Amino acid sequence: MAIKKSELYGSLWKGCDELRGGMDASQYKDYVLVLLFVKYVSDKYAGQPDALIEVPEGGSFSDMLAMKGNKDIGEQFNIIIARLAEANDLKGVIDVADFNDADKLGKGKEMVDRLSNLVSIFDSPGLNFSGNRADGDDILGDAYEYLMRHFATESGKSKGQFYTPAEVSRIMAKVIGVSAATSPSQTIYDPTCGSGSLLLKAADESTTGLTIYGQEMDNATAALAKMNMILHNNPSAEIWQDNTLSSPHFKEKDGSLKLHDFVVANPPFSTKAWSNGFDPVNDPYQRFADGIPPAKNGDYAFLLHIIRSLKSTGKGAVILPHGVLFRGNAEGTIRKNILRKGYIKGIIGLPANLFYGTGIPACIIVLDKENAAGRTGIFMIDASKGFVKDGNKNRLRHQDIHKIVDVFNKQIGISGYSRMVSLTDIEANDYNLNIPRYIDSSAVEDLQDIDAHLHGGIPDADIAGLSAYWQVFPHLQTVLFERGTRPGYSQMKVSAGAVKSTIFAQQEFVAYTQAVSDLFQQWREHHIASLKGLAQGSHPKAMIEQLAEDLLQAFADVRLIDQYDVYQHLMSYWSDTMQDDAYLIAAGGWLAGRDASNGLIPQALIVARYFVAEQEHIQQLENERDAITRQMEELDEEHGGEEGLLAEAKNDKGKLTKVSVGARLKEIKHEVDAADERALLNTCLTLIEREAAANKQVKDTQKLMDKQVAAQYGKLSEVEIKRLIVEDKWLTTLAADVQTELNRVSQALTGRIKQLAERYAEPLPQLAAQVAALNAKVEAHLLRMGFQL
């Protein structure tokens, strides 16, 4: 049976995390990711002559599995991994973690059990990488990404910097134009590459492929990067372990720094010991000609290294803390010199708490040497408000990524979000690049009108603030408002309670909602064939990218609805549900829908298609049962109190049951004056028996229908399965999401108008008069009671 990707990765992480014990996640990842690597190369290359990776005898995952339960399992794991490393020049890469370390993995039986359980986690039918390329659309790339992200989350401050969130990596690659690369000989470089996630995500944007270079100071992390490259089908990528600033590895024959077409980097923020091991004043690579960074802050050291590593036509993107935009002294001088040379193309301000290892806000500095000479301004984006909470971190949504990239690449100015800032303005601000100096992204304050509170009326300025709606519904304003008694103020023509119904009844609003629905229907009809054309072996990721882009374009010109909000609905549904469905179909074909247990076709959809009459019958039976239950409740409410006739018939829990009512009837069977109680008890007993019979009928009927539904799964044809999944499940859900956006439009307009109507409904003099009248009534009442204020 095919396994859902989300379930597979979730169970993989849960299993690994449970086995971690007291070890820090930043250490445990080295063990888990090495096992993933061994599993992958064993599945893909074992037994193949002239394979990219040689899997020697005694150096495979199956050899590790054979060690389960052995008392020397840790030592044997080390030997197996060493054989694989020696056969592929991977010494110092995959043999960094010591699987026989008792301090980390436990002693004796504890180590045996932990390693036996750990290797068993990877012995899963869902983790079979045979014939599976890591091309960004398969189980391996996502499994590795999933584990890396979770290890980064759990690793704590200063230990999670080996991983750059994939969302940020995609933005960086797209804004520097990696997709425009024309040859695999073009290079991409990351001087602080960590585990290589940023490098790979950036390189993946190229359709031609790129030559990859990366340098990382930490030995274990550099090893992760080398494994990551192989796992993602980039075995020729060059990853070097050393300090980039003091010992840059990639150089030309004459000893100068190697220059690259693209550079991406997420350096450690504000590192204090950046100049250890070399003298920046006499730097042989002339990296610091524009100024020497402060002795205890290396942010600009990395930025200058990146600029120096770019070709004259090179493009780059680097993540740095916001301080680089405005700090003065030495950094101010460097910033001024860089700006005057035109190297900075743009700045993208990101949300706080986005990166692992730090909670401070950061920005992306976008570099472009090719067009530096003619640069007259810098394009700035304040994207700090666009994110979603994800555990203890913030995360960019699909819509945030797409909007940033679209706005930056098309240089679209949006009030409160983005603008082109001239170098003249920047110079006038003493080369300070702090984004709030140029973009005011603060929320517009809802100011109260004192004059309206005093004399009544709704300020015309507030009504004009809804101009975006009046442009779409030009006659609605005159239906809702009329000129007031004073200049600059209007009054409502309908009551606050009638605002919603008035808006919904307007032909302009009806036509607008119909037009939006029609747009979705056109998109639906255009793509329904391709959705049903998904087949075994298809690439779901390519499919969703096309669907999403077309949906974004379909809503590009719709006013009042943000096209990126609609796009996010699709991408959220993809992440939550549709992705698992698509990958199950790509793995096992549409007939996987006959398996009720995998969730491809929820039972409710089968019922809605094939058992409408049966469901209506069950609903009717439930209504009849509920009517009896209400009779029981009314009887209990009327007669079940402490002195009621049914009080003595309740059990210890205060309930009327067949047993307790029968027992009470038996007690008073011969009491002459208990006739009324007996009659009531018999009525109660009848209702209890009727309720039990009705409940049994509901359960029996439901059980019968459940059996019929279960049998129906096996009878489904491929055509029926496609209709159930594509039309009834996927497209119906997305149509409801579009309706949600329409509802948001009406709710926002209705809510604001009602707020204004209620805010200024009673001017202060009227309220004062009401208070005075009430005071007079209270005083008069007190006088009648003999009290004088």
Side-chain angles (χ1 to χ4, degrees):
M1 183 187 77
I3 300 175
K4 287 186 178 182
K5 293 175 76 176
S6 58
E7 292 177 2
L8 172 64
Y9 303 151
S11 62
L12 187 62
W13 168 254
K14 184 180 178 183
C16 293
D17 198 41
E18 285 177 354
L19 293 173
R20 190 173 85 210
M23 197 190 312
D24 187 274
S26 63
Q27 297 174 311
Y28 195 61
K29 74 176 188 304
D30 300 334
Y31 293 91
V32 171
L33 296 177
V34 164
L35 274 181
L36 182 63
F37 179 84
V38 176
K39 176 73 167 74
Y40 170 71
V41 298
S42 297
D43 283 353
K44 190 169 178 64
Y45 301 116
Q48 293 186 22
D50 302 320
L52 182 67
I53 299 290
E54 179 189 347
V55 181
E57 187 175 343
S60 71
F61 183 76
S62 61
D63 294 308
M64 299 182 87
L65 271 179
M67 294 297 114
K68 283 170 59 177
N70 282 19
K71 63 180 181 180
D72 61 344
I73 185 171
E75 182 182 350
Q76 291 301 318
F77 273 18
N78 283 343
I79 293 171
I80 293 166
I81 292 168
R83 286 178 182 144
L84 183 61
E86 288 167 5
N88 295 281
D89 194 24
L90 290 173
K91 288 187 68 64
V93 176
I94 64 172
D95 54 357
V96 174
D98 181 4
F99 281 84
N100 201 34
D101 189 333
D103 292 334
K104 293 179 178 177
L105 297 167
K107 298 176 181 176
K109 188 175 184 301
E110 184 182 359
M111 178 187 286
V112 173
D113 291 345
R114 176 166 286 149
L115 292 179
S116 296
N117 291 332
L118 182 58
V119 76
S120 296
I121 291 171
F122 289 89
D123 185 28
S124 160
L127 281 173
N128 187 344
F129 304 128
S130 302
N132 203 345
R133 282 186 61 243
D135 58 1
D137 195 21
D138 71 343
I139 211 163
L140 175 66
D142 288 345
Y144 194 86
E145 181 83 14
Y146 185 93
L147 288 173
M148 290 294 285
R149 179 164 60 86
H150 277 73
F151 280 126
T153 303
E154 299 292 322
S155 289
K157 290 200 172 196
S158 80
K159 294 180 181 177
Q161 293 180 354
F162 55 81
Y163 177 74
T164 300
E167 298 86 1
V168 181
S169 302
R170 284 196 289 273
I171 291 172
M172 295 169 75
K174 289 178 183 294
V175 298
I176 63 175
V178 172
S179 61
T182 56
S183 167
S185 64
Q186 288 180 273
T187 63
I188 186 166
Y189 166 59
D190 185 343
T192 57
C193 70
S195 61
S197 298
L198 170 56
L199 251 181
L200 283 165
K201 276 286 183 293
D204 193 49
E205 283 293 317
S206 168
T207 56
T208 61
L210 293 170
T211 302
I212 298 174
Y213 296 92
Q215 187 161 342
E216 166 58 37
M217 185 165 67
D218 182 77
N219 186 48
T221 306
L224 288 181
K226 291 177 183 178
M227 284 191 288
N228 206 356
M229 296 299 146
I230 295 171
L231 290 172
H232 286 82
N233 209 40
N234 286 287
S236 61
E238 291 192 43
I239 304 296
W240 188 260
Q241 186 271 312
D242 209 339
N243 185 322
T244 293
L245 293 179
S246 62
S247 304
H249 175 70
F250 301 109
K251 289 176 274 195
E252 303 292 354
K253 291 180 181 179
D254 61 3
S256 62
L257 285 182
K258 183 175 180 60
L259 304 183
H260 302 274
D261 297 284
F262 303 101
V263 178
V264 291
N266 179 13
F269 288 177
S270 306
T271 182
K272 291 180 170 55
W274 67 271
S275 60
N276 282 3
F278 78 111
D279 177 11
V281 176
N282 297 306
D283 180 52
Y285 311 106
Q286 293 86 46
R287 290 174 292 182
F288 307 108
D290 289 318
I292 306 295
K296 292 187 177 180
N297 192 318
D299 291 332
Y300 270 96
F302 287 107
L303 180 58
L304 291 170
H305 173 85
I306 289 166
I307 291 173
R308 188 72 182 85
S309 300
L310 283 169
K311 291 179 179 178
S312 60
T313 57
K315 314 288 192 295
V318 56
I319 300 165
L320 291 169
H322 270 287
V324 301
L325 302 177
F326 54 79
R327 292 194 297 248
N329 301 321
E331 291 184 311
T333 300
I334 298 170
R335 185 169 58 248
K336 177 180 178 180
N337 291 334
I338 293 173
L339 285 167
R340 282 181 166 177
K341 291 180 177 179
Y343 291 154
I344 298 178
K345 177 182 181 180
I347 298 167
I348 301 168
L350 298 170
N353 201 29
L354 204 62
F355 296 93
Y356 302 97
T358 180
I360 66 173
C363 61
I364 300 173
I365 307 291
V366 184
L367 304 167
D368 178 10
K369 275 191 173 181
E370 184 174 19
N371 301 299
R375 184 152 289 119
T376 58
I378 292 177
F379 194 77
M380 292 188 181
I381 293 179
D382 183 350
S384 60
K385 306 291 193 300
F387 63 89
V388 66
K389 293 293 294 180
D390 185 11
N392 63 351
K393 304 300 291 182
N394 295 331
R395 179 171 54 81
L396 295 174
R397 298 164 296 182
H398 291 93
Q399 70 181 93
D400 302 318
I401 299 167
H402 214 302
K403 183 176 181 180
I404 290 169
V405 173
D406 284 351
V407 169
F408 189 91
N409 287 342
K410 297 172 185 175
Q411 307 276 280
I412 303 169
I414 300 175
S415 178
Y417 185 78
S418 62
R419 63 170 287 210
M420 175 63 77
V421 182
S422 72
L423 290 174
T424 304
D425 284 351
I426 292 171
E427 184 179 2
N429 279 283
D430 197 25
Y431 296 94
N432 187 314
L433 296 177
N434 198 19
I435 296 174
R437 280 186 179 244
Y438 308 99
I439 299 174
D440 182 7
S441 62
S442 58
V444 177
E445 189 176 357
D446 183 15
L447 298 174
Q448 303 259 353
D449 189 303
I450 302 300
D451 194 86
H453 279 301
L454 290 172
H455 303 109
I458 297 174
D460 288 347
D462 284 336
I463 297 173
L466 297 168
S467 61
Y469 295 95
W470 310 140
Q471 290 170 18
V472 180
F473 316 124
H475 297 103
L476 182 59
Q477 182 178 352
T478 58
V479 172
L480 294 168
F481 302 99
E482 63 185 359
R483 187 179 298 279
T485 57
R486 298 179 298 125
Y489 295 88
S490 297
Q491 59 190 32
M492 294 292 300
K493 292 173 70 173
V494 301
S495 66
V499 169
K500 183 176 181 180
S501 58
T502 302
I503 292 173
F504 276 62
Q506 278 297 298
Q507 185 56 40
E508 291 170 337
F509 184 80
V510 173
Y512 171 78
T513 57
Q514 185 60 53
V516 172
S517 298
D518 289 346
L519 269 180
F520 176 77
Q521 287 303 315
Q522 290 168 18
W523 175 85
R524 177 189 187 277
E525 293 308 313
H526 182 68
H527 288 287
I528 193 168
S530 62
L531 285 168
K532 290 183 177 181
L534 186 67
Q536 197 165 0
S538 292
H539 291 282
K541 193 168 287 187
M543 178 193 74
I544 190 61
E545 286 175 357
Q546 185 61 55
L547 288 172
E549 289 303 315
D550 287 354
L551 185 64
L552 194 67
Q553 290 307 309
F555 281 81
D557 298 323
V558 177
R559 290 190 286 186
L560 302 181
I561 290 178
D562 188 332
Q563 67 187 115
Y564 296 101
D565 287 337
V566 179
Y567 169 82
Q568 182 62 38
H569 279 298
L570 172 58
M571 297 311 295
S572 293
Y573 184 53
W574 171 258
S575 298
D576 295 341
T577 302
M578 198 174 166
Q579 176 179 226
D580 277 337
D581 292 351
Y583 275 96
L584 281 174
I585 294 164
W590 288 97
L591 293 183
R594 288 179 176 172
D595 183 355
S597 66
N598 62 25
L600 255 178
I601 304 176
Q603 182 173 315
L605 296 184
I606 298 286
V607 172
R609 274 283 179 186
Y610 302 100
F611 299 96
V612 175
E614 290 84 348
Q615 183 62 44
E616 289 176 350
H617 179 52
I618 290 173
Q619 185 64 57
Q620 182 183 347
L621 293 176
E622 288 176 339
N623 291 340
E624 292 171 359
R625 178 199 62 193
D626 293 344
I628 298 169
T629 301
R630 283 193 297 274
Q631 284 182 266
M632 276 291 301
E633 290 170 348
E634 291 167 2
L635 203 66
D636 187 11
E637 186 175 351
E638 186 177 354
H639 302 286
E642 287 186 7
E643 298 184 10
L645 291 176
L646 296 178
E648 297 297 323
K650 293 185 176 182
N651 63 14
D652 294 342
K653 295 181 180 179
K655 302 289 184 183
L656 292 166
T657 67
K658 183 176 181 179
V659 172
S660 66
V661 172
R664 179 60 182 168
L665 273 170
K666 194 173 182 180
E667 283 179 26
I668 62 172
K669 183 177 181 181
H670 302 295
E671 292 183 13
V672 177
D673 57 350
D676 290 343
E677 184 180 356
R678 280 196 294 273
L680 200 59
L681 287 169
N682 279 316
T683 300
C684 184
L685 193 61
T686 300
L687 287 173
I688 290 172
E689 289 171 346
R690 284 178 59 201
E691 182 184 40
N695 202 41
K696 183 177 185 303
Q697 189 175 9
V698 168
K699 287 182 178 178
D700 289 346
T701 309
Q702 181 69 56
K703 194 173 181 180
L704 176 62
M705 190 182 76
D706 289 344
K707 194 173 181 179
Q708 292 173 317
V709 169
Q712 185 66 36
Y713 277 97
K715 300 174 186 176
L716 294 173
S717 68
E718 186 168 310
V719 170
E720 290 175 306
I721 291 171
K722 288 181 177 181
R723 183 177 62 186
L724 284 161
I725 295 174
V726 175
E727 298 179 40
D728 296 1
K729 185 179 182 181
W730 293 349
L731 293 173
T732 298
T733 300
L734 293 173
D737 288 338
V738 171
Q739 185 60 48
T740 298
E741 291 305 312
L742 282 169
N743 294 341
R744 186 184 298 176
V745 171
S746 61
Q747 288 165 3
L749 179 58
T750 302
R752 179 57 175 168
I753 293 172
K754 288 180 69 175
Q755 182 188 49
L756 292 173
E758 292 166 357
R759 176 181 291 174
Y760 300 114
E762 296 180 300
L764 188 59
Q766 184 178 330
L767 291 173
Q770 290 175 2
V771 171
L774 290 171
N775 278 335
K777 286 183 179 180
V778 171
E779 288 180 15
H781 185 65
L782 289 171
L783 281 172
R784 286 195 297 272
M785 295 174 64
F787 295 97
Q788 180 93 30
L789 282 177

